[in-house]
Amino acid sequence: MAVSNIISDCLDALLHPSARYDALASARHRAFIAPRLLGSLAAFAAFPIYLAVRGAPAALEVAAFAWLIAPILLSYFLSRTGRYESAHVLSSLALAGLIMVVTITTGGIESFAAVWLVVVPLEAALSASRRVVAFASALALSCAIALIAIGHFDMLPPSMANAGSNVVLMAFGVTSATLYAAGLAFGAESLARISVALLYDEEDRYRLLARNMSDVISRHSRNGAVQFISPAVETLLGTTASRLSGHGLFDRVHVADRPAFLTALSDAGRGEARSVEFRVRRDLPRDERGRSAAVDFIWLEMRCRPLETANGKTAADETEVVAVMRDVTDRKNQEQALELARAEAGRADAAKSRFLATMSHELRTPLNAIIGFSEMIVQEDALMIGAARRKEYAQLINDSGQHLLSVVNGILDMSKMESGNFEITPEPFAPRPALLNCCNLLALKARDNDIDLVTRAPEDLPQIHGDPRAFRQIVLNLVSNAIKFSERGGTVTVSAAVDGQRLTLRVSDTGVGISEDDLKRLGDPFFQAGKTYQRRHEGTGLGLSIVKSLVGLHGGEINVQSRIDQGTTVTVTLPLASPQQGPNNIATLNPPSPPAGQSQDYQVKKSA
Amino acid sequence: MAKTVLIVEDNELNMKLFRDLLEAHGYQTSGTSNGYEALDLVRKLRPDLILMDIQLPQVSGLEVTRWIKDDPELRSIPVVAVTAFAMKGDEERIREGGCEAYLSKPISVGKFIETVRRFIG
């Protein structure tokens, strides 16, 4: 074992670098070098014995032995240059040369050595090169023909072998040729075994790759039909690869993405590499009853390019496409989330700008009267303003100042709610008197606008636990809104009722109504439905947003139902019992998520 | 004969301010808080100048200005926007809408009268 290891190591050292890392090439090189070196060395070892038996050698014998150096030179040539085919050609030439010399001097075609010509092409077979085999065969054949021709024209030198030893020599020639051929056959068999083993190794490696790679590799015909798809697709789509072949994959592609999918494949078929992203239906694990769950799509990214055929060119008409697919659902989801966040940020930014613009407008309007009238009083002489006028202007300045104060207070309330500093003080109180009181306050305004204000509150309305100041503000804001947004001759109905453990307050008008788009934004600070420059109604747009926060603070709900030109109904429900203490006690513009089962809280419902 | 100024303004106090100011300077005034009515009044009275608030009920002052400027007979009447829209870009947008001048609220009495005089002396 140790000796063979040493020989093996020596052989490895002899291999040309180009063959060292290619298992098959190194096996071939070894198969070339090993027998030649060993044969030559054995021959040299046998030379002294031969001399001892035969006595002084003839010149021919010396030449024949000297010829045995040739394999060593050939091994050296291969070891240096790595040119396997050339080494085989040289080897064939050397062998054929030796055979020719021996044959010609021992009787031509009838010589014992002539049978060795058969070995020449056999040896070349190990080269695994058709050209080398053809060359060696031609060489052997021409050698045989030359021998026959030489014999025929009687040009042979006198045979050096004596007739008596002919039989022995013939036996030696046939036996040695057979043995060598047998050795070659074993070498060939061993090389074949090695190459099969290597093939298996390679296949194992690819199988390992295919099984453990999350990317899917597929082969498509030009029309997109799947001809092969790697098993990685099974974990991706939850179905077997065989069910995806043909049009099985296409059938799962999202209808909206099918054109892009097919275009990419057909472009790739024309020779252009393409990348496309599309959605594919995935089979989810089935439930107990064997039905699959809801339809689920995942995003795949597919890079496809024309399939190169074995000879390195793409066949012109039968172009196939090879594609690599990868699950990009997570990235897609992130992109979508990012897009949503960006849109949300944009909306928030726009809302902020709108808020500032409206705030500026609402502050400037009363300031205009204040500054204008006071300037007029300053210039009373130039403008010939009398005492009565002066007093009137002072009153107007005061009115405007009061209005300005209410705007500022509204803004302050809003910012308190926004920063979470607005607190309510719950206590038991009777809602009916509070409601009637508010309606009385607004009756004058309703009459001025020629609007019928109807209040429906049952006498037996129970006490509720809440902040009476906040309750009054809710009612005042809602009812004054309803009056403000009603046409002359309209009706505003305020009703209160108890429904289980909740008080329902409903304010309906026959006014302008609110469009669906505006309904969504209703309650945003300063937002008033309609176009910016086309506001038809006074007000800061703060009322409903304050109501929303106050209702949320009481653990109640607010719903707005409206149709353009048909009126609006705002429904507020407040719990009769005390609102929970804790974080709910602080109002914010974005109230915390309502408890489960009350998901409709704060949500503005669209009209039916 | 005194020049006539049509004031389109939906805030009562501001309307009174502009009327009193203009009348104190010898102008005749006429007023409305409604854009549609404003157009009728322009046609009927043919004022020498129009003071236009931008945020109006029902129809915006910009819209009314566009109607006036689209009418060959009314186009020559100068329109001065007097508005509380005083954020960045508001003046450009309003001038592009066809107004000959732009005054932001709160007004300065001096500048207000000066602007009116620039158009109708």
Side-chain angles (χ1 to χ4, degrees):
Chain A
M1 223 34 205
V3 179
S4 70
N5 275 350
I6 291 168
I7 295 172
S8 174
D9 286 350
C10 288
L11 275 175
D12 281 346
L14 283 174
L15 290 180
H16 185 259
S18 69
R20 224 167 268 171
Y21 303 105
D22 179 343
L24 190 60
S26 94
R28 283 185 176 146
H29 284 215
R30 283 152 161 281
F32 184 90
I33 294 173
R36 281 171 180 76
L37 277 185
L38 289 176
S40 294
L41 291 176
F44 276 113
F47 193 53
I49 303 167
Y50 185 84
L51 287 182
V53 175
R54 288 272 300 191
L60 179 69
E61 284 162 315
V62 174
F65 271 105
W67 203 269
L68 291 172
I69 299 172
I72 297 180
L73 294 177
L74 285 172
S75 299
Y76 180 76
F77 170 79
L78 180 63
S79 165
R80 284 290 121 188
T81 64
R83 289 160 67 181
Y84 185 64
E85 288 190 7
S86 308
H88 261 287
V89 168
L90 290 175
S91 175
S92 296
L93 283 171
L95 184 59
L98 176 65
I99 293 167
M100 282 302 275
V101 170
V102 174
T103 317
I104 288 170
T105 52
T106 54
I109 194 72
E110 290 168 11
S111 161
F112 71 93
V115 72
W116 269 80
L117 282 174
V118 175
V119 173
V120 175
L122 274 181
E123 195 188 64
L126 282 185
S127 72
S129 157
R130 196 172 278 255
R131 280 183 303 166
V132 174
V133 172
F135 168 79
S137 305
L139 183 67
L141 206 59
S142 44
C143 283
I145 292 168
L147 281 179
I148 292 166
I150 291 170
H152 185 72
F153 295 111
D154 231 1
M155 285 153 65
L156 280 175
S159 174
M160 280 167 45
N162 47 24
S165 62
N166 238 0
V167 175
V168 179
L169 282 175
M170 188 58 88
F172 168 73
V174 172
T175 312
S176 60
T178 309
L179 283 177
Y180 191 64
L184 289 177
F186 276 112
E189 190 272 344
S190 135
L191 271 183
R193 206 143 31 83
I194 287 171
S195 66
V196 167
L198 285 175
L199 214 61
Y200 274 129
D201 276 1
E202 190 109 321
E203 224 177 86
D204 274 353
R205 221 172 297 146
Y206 280 124
R207 201 168 297 147
L208 193 76
L209 211 65
R211 204 170 283 159
N212 291 294
M213 202 168 58
S214 56
D215 287 7
V216 176
I217 297 172
S218 58
R219 219 173 88 188
H220 303 257
S221 61
R222 182 87 175 260
N223 65 2
V226 173
Q227 293 176 324
F228 162 81
I229 189 157
S230 64
V233 78
E234 297 184 4
T235 45
L236 213 59
L237 297 183
T239 185
T240 58
S242 61
R243 294 177 73 175
L244 294 170
S245 61
H247 290 287
L249 178 66
F250 178 75
D251 290 341
R252 285 169 176 270
V253 174
H254 194 284
V255 180
D257 296 337
R258 286 180 183 180
F261 175 77
L262 288 180
T263 308
L265 282 174
S266 113
D267 283 353
R270 273 197 291 274
E272 299 163 68
R274 279 276 179 274
S275 179
V276 64
E277 291 177 346
F278 56 91
R279 282 157 289 179
V280 180
R281 199 180 75 242
R282 170 171 64 175
D283 281 354
L284 291 171
R286 284 159 190 274
D287 61 17
E288 314 84 64
R289 289 182 215 161
R291 285 182 316 199
S292 61
V295 182
D296 181 35
F297 281 93
I298 60 168
W299 276 99
L300 290 187
E301 177 198 63
M302 178 172 83
R303 277 167 295 144
C304 45
R305 55 186 175 77
L307 183 69
E308 306 236 321
T309 50
N311 53 20
K313 285 182 290 184
T314 55
D317 39 15
E318 275 287 312
T319 310
E320 291 185 352
V321 172
V322 64
V324 179
M325 284 176 258
R326 156 179 305 188
D327 185 354
V328 292
T329 311
D330 287 349
R331 171 164 69 71
K332 276 285 177 186
N333 287 344
Q334 276 167 9
E335 280 173 10
Q336 274 165 8
L338 204 67
E339 193 44 53
L340 275 179
R342 199 175 295 145
E344 185 53 47
R347 266 198 296 280
D349 204 47
K352 200 174 140 195
S353 302
R354 223 168 27 237
F355 184 97
L356 279 175
T358 316
M359 196 159 83
S360 156
H361 189 273
E362 293 314 310
L363 294 174
R364 281 167 183 276
T365 300
L367 272 173
N368 187 56
I370 294 170
I371 292 176
F373 283 121
S374 56
E375 259 193 79
M376 284 181 79
I377 295 174
V378 170
Q379 301 176 20
E380 58 181 336
D381 296 339
L383 297 172
M384 290 176 294
I385 295 171
R389 273 283 189 83
R390 220 164 36 235
K391 196 180 170 199
E392 187 194 359
Y393 287 174
Q395 184 57 49
L396 294 177
I397 291 169
N398 187 269
D399 288 351
S400 293
Q402 295 293 343
H403 177 67
L404 188 59
L405 181 65
S406 77
V407 173
V408 170
N409 277 338
I411 293 170
L412 279 180
D413 279 353
M414 285 310 302
S415 69
K416 270 188 201 161
M417 289 180 188
E418 198 155 52
S419 60
N421 288 328
F422 191 93
E423 288 188 28
I424 58 165
T425 329
E427 59 185 70
F429 73 95
R432 187 169 186 270
L435 190 67
L436 294 178
N437 182 260
C438 290
C439 288
N440 284 339
L441 276 179
L442 291 166
L444 188 69
K445 191 178 169 189
R447 207 176 311 136
D448 281 353
N449 286 289
D450 196 14
I451 285 162
D452 204 6
L453 180 59
V454 182
T455 312
R456 291 193 193 123
E459 301 263 353
D460 57 348
L461 214 55
Q463 279 208 333
I464 71 168
H465 197 90
D467 185 334
R469 196 171 53 93
F471 181 79
R472 280 169 53 93
Q473 196 168 358
I474 291 170
V475 176
L476 282 175
N477 283 353
L478 290 181
V479 177
S480 65
N481 266 354
I483 294 171
K484 200 194 306 178
F485 291 100
S486 286
E487 305 286 350
R488 288 189 168 270
T491 308
V492 170
T493 313
V494 184
S495 63
V498 169
D499 177 17
Q501 282 305 299
R502 298 173 88 80
L503 175 78
T504 305
L505 178 69
R506 186 170 284 123
V507 181
S508 325
D509 63 51
T510 53
V512 292
I514 303 160
S515 77
E516 248 182 66
D517 281 347
D518 286 343
L519 261 181
K520 290 178 207 147
R521 286 169 54 205
L522 208 62
D524 288 356
F526 284 125
F527 175 75
Q528 201 179 69
K531 288 182 198 152
T532 317
Y533 284 157
Q534 196 183 313
R535 187 186 289 188
R536 49 185 304 180
H537 306 281
E538 288 258 320
T540 53
L542 289 173
L544 194 61
S545 122
I546 291 175
V547 168
K548 234 173 138 181
S549 294
L550 290 176
V551 170
L553 214 52
H554 281 83
E557 294 173 30
I558 179 164
N559 275 327
V560 182
Q561 290 184 303
S562 183
R563 268 192 199 176
I564 284 284
D565 291 333
Q566 291 188 17
T568 304
T569 299
V570 182
T571 310
V572 169
T573 54
L574 298 171
L576 292 180
S578 167
Q580 289 166 348
Q581 297 296 318
N584 261 2
N585 224 10
I586 309 280
T588 63
L589 289 186
N590 300 303
S593 306
Q598 294 184 15
S599 57
Q600 290 299 306
D601 276 17
Y602 322 117
Q603 200 177 319
V604 173
K605 276 186 181 164
K606 289 178 194 171
S607 58
Chain B
M1 188 193 145
K3 304 268 183 166
T4 311
V5 179
L6 175 66
I7 307 165
V8 188
E9 166 67 63
D10 69 333
N11 181 292
E12 281 174 37
L13 294 182
N14 287 329
M15 169 69 88
K16 177 162 176 58
L17 173 69
F18 297 148
R19 267 183 192 271
D20 285 9
L21 257 175
L22 290 171
E23 281 166 9
H25 284 87
Y27 299 106
Q28 261 189 5
T29 62
S30 179
T32 175
S33 64
N34 179 307
Y36 295 109
E37 205 179 291
L39 191 67
D40 292 340
L41 281 174
V42 173
R43 290 220 170 91
K44 202 167 76 187
L45 301 175
R46 297 292 163 109
D48 300 290
L49 181 72
I50 302 164
L51 295 183
M52 185 71 76
D53 189 11
I54 299 300
Q55 183 176 285
L56 290 173
Q58 289 165 349
V59 58
S60 91
L62 273 184
E63 192 84 0
V64 180
T65 306
R66 197 168 306 128
W67 295 335
I68 293 169
K69 295 299 169 188
D70 282 348
D71 188 328
E73 287 181 34
L74 308 178
R75 190 178 294 160
S76 59
I77 304 172
V79 177
V80 176
V82 186
T83 175
F85 284 114
M87 299 292 279
K88 199 180 158 207
D90 283 334
E91 177 169 358
E92 286 76 14
R93 196 157 56 239
I94 287 163
R95 281 180 180 276
E96 275 166 24
C99 295
E100 271 81 1
Y102 163 90
L103 289 172
S104 66
K105 290 179 190 166
I107 57 156
S108 133
V109 168
K111 198 178 169 198
F112 176 78
I113 292 299
E114 188 189 302
T115 307
V116 173
R117 283 217 182 101
R118 179 145 59 89
F119 286 100
I120 52 175

